[in-house]
Every structure is written in structure tokens, then in C-alpha cells.
Amino acid sequence: MNLLAELRSRFATALESLDGADLSDMVLPSQDPKFGDYQANCAMPLGKRLGRPPREIATELVEKLGVADLCEPPEIAGPGFINLRVKTARIAELVGDALVDEHRLGVPTATEPRNIVLDYSSPNVAKPMHVGHIRSTVIGDALAQVLKFLGHKVITDNHIGDWGTQFGMIVYGYKNFGDDAKLAEAPVGELTRLYRFVNSLVDYHALRTKKIPEAELAIDQQQLAVEKLSSEPVPEDQKAQKKAAKKLRQAEGLLNDCRSDLVALQQKLVDAENDEQLISVAKEHADIGQKVLAETAALHAGDEENVALWKRFLPACLAEMDAIYERLNVSFDHTLGESHYHDQLAETIASLEEQGLVKVSDGAKCVFLEGQDAPFIVQKRDGAFLYATTDLATIKYRVENWQPDALLYVVDHRQSLHFEHLFATTKLWGEKDTRLKDLELEHISFGTVLGEDGKPYKTRSGTAVGLSGLLDEAIQRALAIVSENDDARAEPLLSAEERQTVADRIGIGAIKYADLAHNRTSDYVFSYDKMLAMTGNTAAYMQYSYARVSSIFGKAGVDRQQLRTSNPTIDLNTPAERSLALALLQFSEALTRVASDYRPNHLTSYLFELASKYSSFFSECPVLKAESDELRTSRLALCDLTARTLSRGLELLGIEVVERM
RNA sequence: GCGCUUGUAGCUCAAUUGGAUAGAGCACUGGUCUUCGAAACCAGGGGUUGUAGGUUCGAGUCCUACCAGGCGCGCCA
């Protein structure tokens, strides 16, 4: 049972006669135990609405409220808060129910299941995945698991970039530097080599002919801007003075940024020029940038050779990507990338045009949106399609094939304007199509992963940190910690093999948990030390908590299955036991909260709190040496349900537990 | 210039979407192991929620202005 949902429904009934049924959501868990377990705050707004004293309303509500089976008599406090304390005997019964509920642990399924398409991860294939892909992948996967567990139909779709310039690079690389023998032997390695090599060639030329000159120009312009600002006469009034000073400061800051950008670019150029092999090849491929684009364009135009190469290379690229997903223990129902939609793009434009949504501006086909300065460009001047076009076609495809109620995109916050445009265009496009019109479209936005210096997490040379190496390092550090702790024991617990397994789970878990525990909308600082700490709100602590609970069953020598089905009497006579039991019943509330605003950090907070309550219980209440057999059994039952709740909760977050660590 | 977003304890972050005295974890100070994993527990100090106004029974949360950062703004994805 979901206690909160049940109480809200009881309140909804009581509120009806007062014309306040919409206020039942104002029943909430109490912040402070002295106000009971739950509190209803609806009397205050209702009092205002009806022009009557809130306490009077509260009294009336309490009289109408039927909760005698669940709660002690409600108390009215302060301006009109109604405080509810769940009957301890009822908590005990409900724990008993959860205990025998093998898979769901007492969590009811959603009363109105929805059909939800979840779009997340979406890397470019052929390019190695990097730190920027973590959040989308991890948050998306956790949301998928939680929504599924709550009984929604979830379709996950990895909208990979498999049709872009990176394939032009590989094709060009294969045609000019390819090695068929290596390709046959180790396709992933060879394709990665080709991508990296061509990319560095393109980059080298871009640095010389474009990036560095542009950076120099930017410095000149910025320099001028600074000079102009500093030569302007000082304004009379103070406000204008401050504003001018601020502008100057900002311009100078920008100038500094430009300068350090140039230094970084020049350093990259020097590095490249020290690579003799690269330079000699680069000279023979001076127009490589254009050639790569030409190969990409040929692919898009259906050039037989390039399409054949694309088909030949794609499986290896996917395999490389899947290797990472396997390490992360993430999978998708569908992987329909950009290439899947390329033959639907022309008809997408035609359909938009048919509805009179398209205007040609500067030669490009645009959808102009109310309240937006910039148009949504759906076809370029040269006739090529864009990201926007593919996204529209994708929405149409998903709607036609999967009939979703909601379409969720787990994508970083920088694309919020794109999604605003995309969603607005979709609604216009769907004016006559109720499937589109009623669709919930949501951008599940998240912040940037920062380094410990507070800047976007990059390697020293300024490139994105590879995901694979990131996982390696976390696991390696976890192994060191696990080994050190185990060596410190009088008798080490773990074999070398077991240590490695534990380190894998702790390392991967640490990265995932650190990400999920933060409110996704804010940026967060990536720190191995913090995420791998054995204390505090970390995966390692949660996994430790689980291992500690679990170890008790071996010592007790009980059959857990039998313990559950023997219908034990749950005894909650101490505050620690009661508090733990109530927390166990609130698992479903935490999950509902995650689903309501698509934020997994509600679940991490819940699990951490549960673990803390278990710790208090464990230090205050002897389990194996309880005063009586009945009490021992009751406490073992609490341990069992705690272990299962922790494990299931972590599982929904994509984190595996270990029995010993 | 316009738009979005963030600002909470020394540090990293919460705050159930407008609820009661703003909470955790690190770090710091004290206490608790001849009993189940002390990787723990208990207690304590630490705050003008960026600033100034406003809305109301009640504001970290909503509105206005300002300050400071991040991101974005027509043919990349």
C-alpha cells in the first residue's frame, strides 16, 4: 500500500463536501516527527476560499475524515495543520504484507498506466563515448527502470547519430589509409584508428586555416572593443558609471578568454607539427575537410560505394558502443538512429508545407514560431536536412508505431531552445492529429559535468574525457579501497577474484550513484574521491549497508524464504523499530516522486535515509540476541525487508549490490 | 542586445513544488566496541537561503529590480 496515496484519497472524500477536492495533494509526509507521520495542510487555503477560520475547517475535516483504521485520532495544530500518526499496529501489518510480496515489496502499480517513450544516451557511433554521455545514459536508464516498476509501459529508444560527418571521416579514412587485413582482424580497433587519424588531420588543417586565424581576429576585435569602452567618457550618474565599469570588466574578461583560447589552439598546432607522420600525410590531404563532407554528402545521396561501406562498418561501431553499455549494464528496446529516418525527411517537409507552416527565408525552409526570434529551420538553403528535420520525423514515427502518451528526452540543458522549438512545431503540426496534439513532450534536462576546478570536465589537453577510461579508473580506485579495507581485517574476507567483482560493482555504482544523487537540473562536480567515499551518501556506503544487513542471515542460520512466509508478528515497540518500519513502507512514495518529476535523486535520498534508519535500529536493537524468539524473528523480518528494499532500489538505479565487501 | 538557467553552512549537495524551528554528508569537537560488519551509532558547534523590495495566515520556493556565474540565440548535432 502507498500510505500517502491512501491518505490523500481519504482526504479527497472528506474534502468533497467542502468543495476542496483539489486540495488533497496538500497531504504530505511530515518534516518533523513531532508533527506525526503525515500532515494535511489543506485547511488554510480552504479557510481562505470559504472565508472561515482555518482551525474551524480543520475540525470539520477531521470529523468527516475516515481514517480510524489507519491512524490515531488526528490532531490540529498551529493555524490549522492536521497531524496524522499512523497506528503502529497498522504499520506492523503492512510490513507483514510487504514481507510476503516477493517482487514488489508492497509497492502498488500505477492506477493509470501510461505508455512512455524514453529517448536517452544517443551517442554518435564511430566516435568514442565520453564523459558527456554519462548523465543522459544513467538518468535515462534509472527513469526507465523506475517507470517500468511502477507499471507503466516504457519503450526505450537510443537515437544514435549514425548518419553524420563521422562516417564521412571513416569512409575517407578507409579509402585513403584503410587496411583490409586489420579491418578483418579487429574491425573496432581499425575503425577507431581511422576515425581518430582523419579527425586529427581535419583538425590540423582547421587549426591552421580557420581556427587560429579566427581566434586572432577575435582577439583583435575584442581588443578594439575594450579600447573603445575604456576611451568612452565617464558618465555622470552613478548607475551608468557602474554599468559602464561592468561592461568594461566583462569585455576584458572576454579578451582574456580569447587569448587563452588562442594559446591552447597554438599549443595544439605545435603538438600536431611535432608529429612528423601526421604532417607529411597532412600535406598530401590539404582539402581533407571538404573531401570528408563530400563523402558524407555522397552517402546521403545514396552513392552505392559509400552506402555499402556504411553498411559494412556500422556493425563494428555498434559493437564498440554495446561494449560500453554492457559495462554499464544498460540496454535499450530500440536503437533507431538518424539513418533510420533519412528516407522520411522529404515527406516530413512536405507534410509541414501542406499545413502551411513553412516559410522560405534566405533560401532556407523555416517554421516561424510565436514569441520566438529565431525560426526553426527544417531544410537548409542547399537542400540538406537537419537535426530538426530528423527529430520531427522521429516524433511522427514513434507516434505512429508506438502510440505513446508521453515522449521524454533526456538531453543536456544546452539544447532547451531546440526542444522548445521542436515541441512548439510539433503542436502546430499536430493541430489536426490528436495523437500529436495530446502527446506529452518533455525535455528532461540536466546540467554539465564539471571538473574539480568548476569548469567542464576535460582532459589536460582540453579534449573530452573518454567514458571507457573513466570507468577503468573508478574500478581501479575501488579495487584499491576494497583491498586495503579487506587487508586491514584480522582475517581477510575476500578472494582476489571476489575483490575484482566487488570493485567492478562499486566503481560503476559510484559513478552512477553520484550522478543520480544530484538534482539533475544543476551542474555537478565529478570527483572520484567523493563518489568513492565509504561514508556519506554514496554508492559504496549503500552497498556496504546492504552487505552488512545481509551478513546477519548467515549468522542467524535462518531460511529467509520461510521467514517471509511464516507470517511473523512484527513487533515495533521501540522508536527505532517503528521508524525503520515506516520508512520501509514509504518505498513506493519515493518511487512515485521520482516518476512525478523525473528525478532519480528522490530515490537516492530515500535509500540513504532508509540505510541511516537501519543503522540506528541496528545499534539500538539486538537482533540475534533479542530477548525472545518472537522479537528475534520480528527483527530478522525487518532486516530481510530492509535488505530487499535497498537491493531493489539500487537495482532500479542500475546499481548492483554485493553480499560481502 | 535578447532568452534560458544557477546562486542555500568552510566544502559537496537536499529541501516532497507555498507549509511549522531551512536539512544531510564531508570536515571540526566530544562521547560509545571483552555482543550481530565501529566502513557504524549518539551528541554538539556552524545560516541574514546573492542583495533590496513586494505578494499572504506562511516565501529558499511566487512577482519586480539589481549583483555574480553558466548556457544558448538562422541553415552543427
Side-chain angles (χ1 to χ4, degrees), chain A residues 279-300:
Chain A
I279 294 306
S280 66
V281 177
K283 281 185 183 143
E284 290 161 28
H285 297 264
D287 53 354
I288 187 167
Q290 291 230 305
K291 290 262 179 69
V292 163
L293 290 179
E295 296 291 4
T296 313
L299 172 67
H300 290 180

PDB file of all heavy atoms in Angstrom, chain A residues 279-300:
ATOM      1  N   ILE A 279      52.159  15.225 -40.205  1.00  0.00           N
ATOM      2  CA  ILE A 279      52.416  16.380 -41.066  1.00  0.00           C
ATOM      3  C   ILE A 279      52.628  15.966 -42.513  1.00  0.00           C
ATOM      4  O   ILE A 279      52.076  16.577 -43.436  1.00  0.00           O
ATOM      5  CB  ILE A 279      53.659  17.159 -40.558  1.00  0.00           C
ATOM      6  CG1 ILE A 279      53.367  17.770 -39.192  1.00  0.00           C
ATOM      7  CG2 ILE A 279      54.052  18.249 -41.545  1.00  0.00           C
ATOM      8  CD1 ILE A 279      52.129  18.615 -39.162  1.00  0.00           C
ATOM      9  N   SER A 280      53.407  14.915 -42.718  1.00  0.00           N
ATOM     10  CA  SER A 280      53.680  14.538 -44.101  1.00  0.00           C
ATOM     11  C   SER A 280      52.393  14.099 -44.792  1.00  0.00           C
ATOM     12  O   SER A 280      52.165  14.426 -45.956  1.00  0.00           O
ATOM     13  CB  SER A 280      54.742  13.434 -44.151  1.00  0.00           C
ATOM     14  OG  SER A 280      54.234  12.257 -43.576  1.00  0.00           O
ATOM     15  N   VAL A 281      51.546  13.366 -44.072  1.00  0.00           N
ATOM     16  CA  VAL A 281      50.270  12.968 -44.671  1.00  0.00           C
ATOM     17  C   VAL A 281      49.381  14.190 -44.861  1.00  0.00           C
ATOM     18  O   VAL A 281      48.710  14.339 -45.890  1.00  0.00           O
ATOM     19  CB  VAL A 281      49.550  11.928 -43.789  1.00  0.00           C
ATOM     20  CG1 VAL A 281      48.203  11.571 -44.379  1.00  0.00           C
ATOM     21  CG2 VAL A 281      50.403  10.681 -43.645  1.00  0.00           C
ATOM     22  N   ALA A 282      49.402  15.073 -43.888  1.00  0.00           N
ATOM     23  CA  ALA A 282      48.515  16.233 -43.918  1.00  0.00           C
ATOM     24  C   ALA A 282      48.767  17.070 -45.168  1.00  0.00           C
ATOM     25  O   ALA A 282      47.833  17.604 -45.774  1.00  0.00           O
ATOM     26  CB  ALA A 282      48.710  17.081 -42.673  1.00  0.00           C
ATOM     27  N   LYS A 283      50.038  17.153 -45.573  1.00  0.00           N
ATOM     28  CA  LYS A 283      50.352  17.975 -46.744  1.00  0.00           C
ATOM     29  C   LYS A 283      49.700  17.422 -47.999  1.00  0.00           C
ATOM     30  O   LYS A 283      49.307  18.165 -48.896  1.00  0.00           O
ATOM     31  CB  LYS A 283      51.869  18.052 -46.923  1.00  0.00           C
ATOM     32  CG  LYS A 283      52.479  19.058 -45.962  1.00  0.00           C
ATOM     33  CD  LYS A 283      53.950  19.255 -46.195  1.00  0.00           C
ATOM     34  CE  LYS A 283      54.509  20.213 -45.162  1.00  0.00           C
ATOM     35  NZ  LYS A 283      55.860  19.865 -44.724  1.00  0.00           N
ATOM     36  N   GLU A 284      49.611  16.089 -48.045  1.00  0.00           N
ATOM     37  CA  GLU A 284      49.002  15.477 -49.236  1.00  0.00           C
ATOM     38  C   GLU A 284      47.485  15.526 -49.202  1.00  0.00           C
ATOM     39  O   GLU A 284      46.822  15.182 -50.163  1.00  0.00           O
ATOM     40  CB  GLU A 284      49.453  14.014 -49.346  1.00  0.00           C
ATOM     41  CG  GLU A 284      50.915  13.876 -49.700  1.00  0.00           C
ATOM     42  CD  GLU A 284      51.433  12.494 -49.351  1.00  0.00           C
ATOM     43  OE1 GLU A 284      50.626  11.542 -49.363  1.00  0.00           O
ATOM     44  OE2 GLU A 284      52.636  12.384 -49.046  1.00  0.00           O
ATOM     45  N   HIS A 285      46.951  15.892 -48.069  1.00  0.00           N
ATOM     46  CA  HIS A 285      45.479  15.920 -47.940  1.00  0.00           C
ATOM     47  C   HIS A 285      45.031  17.292 -47.457  1.00  0.00           C
ATOM     48  O   HIS A 285      44.365  17.413 -46.434  1.00  0.00           O
ATOM     49  CB  HIS A 285      45.009  14.833 -46.980  1.00  0.00           C
ATOM     50  CG  HIS A 285      45.327  13.451 -47.446  1.00  0.00           C
ATOM     51  ND1 HIS A 285      44.431  12.672 -48.124  1.00  0.00           N
ATOM     52  CD2 HIS A 285      46.468  12.710 -47.373  1.00  0.00           C
ATOM     53  CE1 HIS A 285      44.983  11.509 -48.428  1.00  0.00           C
ATOM     54  NE2 HIS A 285      46.237  11.505 -47.996  1.00  0.00           N
ATOM     55  N   ALA A 286      45.420  18.274 -48.208  1.00  0.00           N
ATOM     56  CA  ALA A 286      45.174  19.651 -47.760  1.00  0.00           C
ATOM     57  C   ALA A 286      43.684  19.992 -47.721  1.00  0.00           C
ATOM     58  O   ALA A 286      43.230  20.758 -46.881  1.00  0.00           O
ATOM     59  CB  ALA A 286      45.909  20.625 -48.672  1.00  0.00           C
ATOM     60  N   ASP A 287      42.915  19.391 -48.611  1.00  0.00           N
ATOM     61  CA  ASP A 287      41.489  19.737 -48.676  1.00  0.00           C
ATOM     62  C   ASP A 287      40.630  18.662 -48.018  1.00  0.00           C
ATOM     63  O   ASP A 287      39.493  18.431 -48.411  1.00  0.00           O
ATOM     64  CB  ASP A 287      41.073  19.953 -50.124  1.00  0.00           C
ATOM     65  CG  ASP A 287      41.463  18.772 -50.993  1.00  0.00           C
ATOM     66  OD1 ASP A 287      42.152  17.858 -50.476  1.00  0.00           O
ATOM     67  OD2 ASP A 287      41.090  18.755 -52.177  1.00  0.00           O
ATOM     68  N   ILE A 288      41.183  18.016 -47.024  1.00  0.00           N
ATOM     69  CA  ILE A 288      40.508  16.865 -46.411  1.00  0.00           C
ATOM     70  C   ILE A 288      39.151  17.238 -45.801  1.00  0.00           C
ATOM     71  O   ILE A 288      38.201  16.447 -45.859  1.00  0.00           O
ATOM     72  CB  ILE A 288      41.432  16.196 -45.355  1.00  0.00           C
ATOM     73  CG1 ILE A 288      40.803  14.903 -44.848  1.00  0.00           C
ATOM     74  CG2 ILE A 288      41.748  17.135 -44.196  1.00  0.00           C
ATOM     75  CD1 ILE A 288      41.755  14.037 -44.059  1.00  0.00           C
ATOM     76  N   GLY A 289      39.060  18.435 -45.259  1.00  0.00           N
ATOM     77  CA  GLY A 289      37.800  18.857 -44.650  1.00  0.00           C
ATOM     78  C   GLY A 289      36.648  18.783 -45.647  1.00  0.00           C
ATOM     79  O   GLY A 289      35.590  18.209 -45.380  1.00  0.00           O
ATOM     80  N   GLN A 290      36.888  19.345 -46.801  1.00  0.00           N
ATOM     81  CA  GLN A 290      35.868  19.355 -47.862  1.00  0.00           C
ATOM     82  C   GLN A 290      35.577  17.955 -48.379  1.00  0.00           C
ATOM     83  O   GLN A 290      34.436  17.592 -48.624  1.00  0.00           O
ATOM     84  CB  GLN A 290      36.383  20.205 -49.012  1.00  0.00           C
ATOM     85  CG  GLN A 290      36.450  21.666 -48.666  1.00  0.00           C
ATOM     86  CD  GLN A 290      35.770  22.484 -49.722  1.00  0.00           C
ATOM     87  OE1 GLN A 290      36.105  22.382 -50.893  1.00  0.00           O
ATOM     88  NE2 GLN A 290      34.790  23.258 -49.308  1.00  0.00           N
ATOM     89  N   LYS A 291      36.662  17.166 -48.513  1.00  0.00           N
ATOM     90  CA  LYS A 291      36.507  15.813 -49.047  1.00  0.00           C
ATOM     91  C   LYS A 291      35.645  14.964 -48.117  1.00  0.00           C
ATOM     92  O   LYS A 291      34.837  14.160 -48.562  1.00  0.00           O
ATOM     93  CB  LYS A 291      37.888  15.169 -49.211  1.00  0.00           C
ATOM     94  CG  LYS A 291      38.727  15.767 -50.331  1.00  0.00           C
ATOM     95  CD  LYS A 291      38.617  14.908 -51.580  1.00  0.00           C
ATOM     96  CE  LYS A 291      39.419  15.451 -52.746  1.00  0.00           C
ATOM     97  NZ  LYS A 291      40.883  15.337 -52.530  1.00  0.00           N
ATOM     98  N   VAL A 292      35.854  15.151 -46.826  1.00  0.00           N
ATOM     99  CA  VAL A 292      35.074  14.391 -45.841  1.00  0.00           C
ATOM    100  C   VAL A 292      33.602  14.742 -45.978  1.00  0.00           C
ATOM    101  O   VAL A 292      32.732  13.868 -45.974  1.00  0.00           O
ATOM    102  CB  VAL A 292      35.588  14.667 -44.402  1.00  0.00           C
ATOM    103  CG1 VAL A 292      34.559  14.249 -43.375  1.00  0.00           C
ATOM    104  CG2 VAL A 292      36.900  13.931 -44.164  1.00  0.00           C
ATOM    105  N   LEU A 293      33.346  16.045 -46.109  1.00  0.00           N
ATOM    106  CA  LEU A 293      31.951  16.468 -46.274  1.00  0.00           C
ATOM    107  C   LEU A 293      31.355  15.895 -47.563  1.00  0.00           C
ATOM    108  O   LEU A 293      30.194  15.497 -47.600  1.00  0.00           O
ATOM    109  CB  LEU A 293      31.861  17.999 -46.294  1.00  0.00           C
ATOM    110  CG  LEU A 293      32.132  18.686 -44.953  1.00  0.00           C
ATOM    111  CD1 LEU A 293      32.049  20.199 -45.100  1.00  0.00           C
ATOM    112  CD2 LEU A 293      31.141  18.207 -43.887  1.00  0.00           C
ATOM    113  N   ALA A 294      32.202  15.830 -48.592  1.00  0.00           N
ATOM    114  CA  ALA A 294      31.736  15.284 -49.866  1.00  0.00           C
ATOM    115  C   ALA A 294      31.390  13.804 -49.729  1.00  0.00           C
ATOM    116  O   ALA A 294      30.389  13.328 -50.292  1.00  0.00           O
ATOM    117  CB  ALA A 294      32.796  15.487 -50.935  1.00  0.00           C
ATOM    118  N   GLU A 295      32.206  13.081 -48.959  1.00  0.00           N
ATOM    119  CA  GLU A 295      31.912  11.658 -48.737  1.00  0.00           C
ATOM    120  C   GLU A 295      30.592  11.508 -47.974  1.00  0.00           C
ATOM    121  O   GLU A 295      29.785  10.621 -48.266  1.00  0.00           O
ATOM    122  CB  GLU A 295      33.032  10.982 -47.937  1.00  0.00           C
ATOM    123  CG  GLU A 295      34.388  10.924 -48.619  1.00  0.00           C
ATOM    124  CD  GLU A 295      34.440   9.979 -49.826  1.00  0.00           C
ATOM    125  OE1 GLU A 295      33.392   9.410 -50.200  1.00  0.00           O
ATOM    126  OE2 GLU A 295      35.534   9.839 -50.407  1.00  0.00           O
ATOM    127  N   THR A 296      30.393  12.377 -47.001  1.00  0.00           N
ATOM    128  CA  THR A 296      29.147  12.334 -46.228  1.00  0.00           C
ATOM    129  C   THR A 296      27.954  12.630 -47.133  1.00  0.00           C
ATOM    130  O   THR A 296      26.942  11.924 -47.094  1.00  0.00           O
ATOM    131  CB  THR A 296      29.188  13.369 -45.081  1.00  0.00           C
ATOM    132  OG1 THR A 296      30.424  13.267 -44.395  1.00  0.00           O
ATOM    133  CG2 THR A 296      28.057  13.147 -44.114  1.00  0.00           C
ATOM    134  N   ALA A 297      28.127  13.659 -47.972  1.00  0.00           N
ATOM    135  CA  ALA A 297      27.035  14.034 -48.873  1.00  0.00           C
ATOM    136  C   ALA A 297      26.730  12.902 -49.841  1.00  0.00           C
ATOM    137  O   ALA A 297      25.565  12.617 -50.134  1.00  0.00           O
ATOM    138  CB  ALA A 297      27.404  15.303 -49.635  1.00  0.00           C
ATOM    139  N   ALA A 298      27.795  12.231 -50.321  1.00  0.00           N
ATOM    140  CA  ALA A 298      27.596  11.118 -51.246  1.00  0.00           C
ATOM    141  C   ALA A 298      26.818   9.994 -50.558  1.00  0.00           C
ATOM    142  O   ALA A 298      25.916   9.391 -51.150  1.00  0.00           O
ATOM    143  CB  ALA A 298      28.947  10.606 -51.729  1.00  0.00           C
ATOM    144  N   LEU A 299      27.154   9.732 -49.315  1.00  0.00           N
ATOM    145  CA  LEU A 299      26.430   8.720 -48.544  1.00  0.00           C
ATOM    146  C   LEU A 299      24.942   9.078 -48.479  1.00  0.00           C
ATOM    147  O   LEU A 299      24.064   8.247 -48.753  1.00  0.00           O
ATOM    148  CB  LEU A 299      27.014   8.626 -47.136  1.00  0.00           C
ATOM    149  CG  LEU A 299      26.265   7.760 -46.124  1.00  0.00           C
ATOM    150  CD1 LEU A 299      26.335   6.291 -46.517  1.00  0.00           C
ATOM    151  CD2 LEU A 299      26.833   7.936 -44.720  1.00  0.00           C
ATOM    152  N   HIS A 300      24.687  10.319 -48.152  1.00  0.00           N
ATOM    153  CA  HIS A 300      23.293  10.764 -48.022  1.00  0.00           C
ATOM    154  C   HIS A 300      22.566  10.705 -49.350  1.00  0.00           C
ATOM    155  O   HIS A 300      21.364  10.461 -49.405  1.00  0.00           O
ATOM    156  CB  HIS A 300      23.246  12.189 -47.457  1.00  0.00           C
ATOM    157  CG  HIS A 300      23.659  12.268 -46.027  1.00  0.00           C
ATOM    158  ND1 HIS A 300      23.699  13.435 -45.321  1.00  0.00           N
ATOM    159  CD2 HIS A 300      24.058  11.304 -45.161  1.00  0.00           C
ATOM    160  CE1 HIS A 300      24.110  13.201 -44.089  1.00  0.00           C
ATOM    161  NE2 HIS A 300      24.336  11.913 -43.964  1.00  0.00           N
TER     162      HIS A 300
END
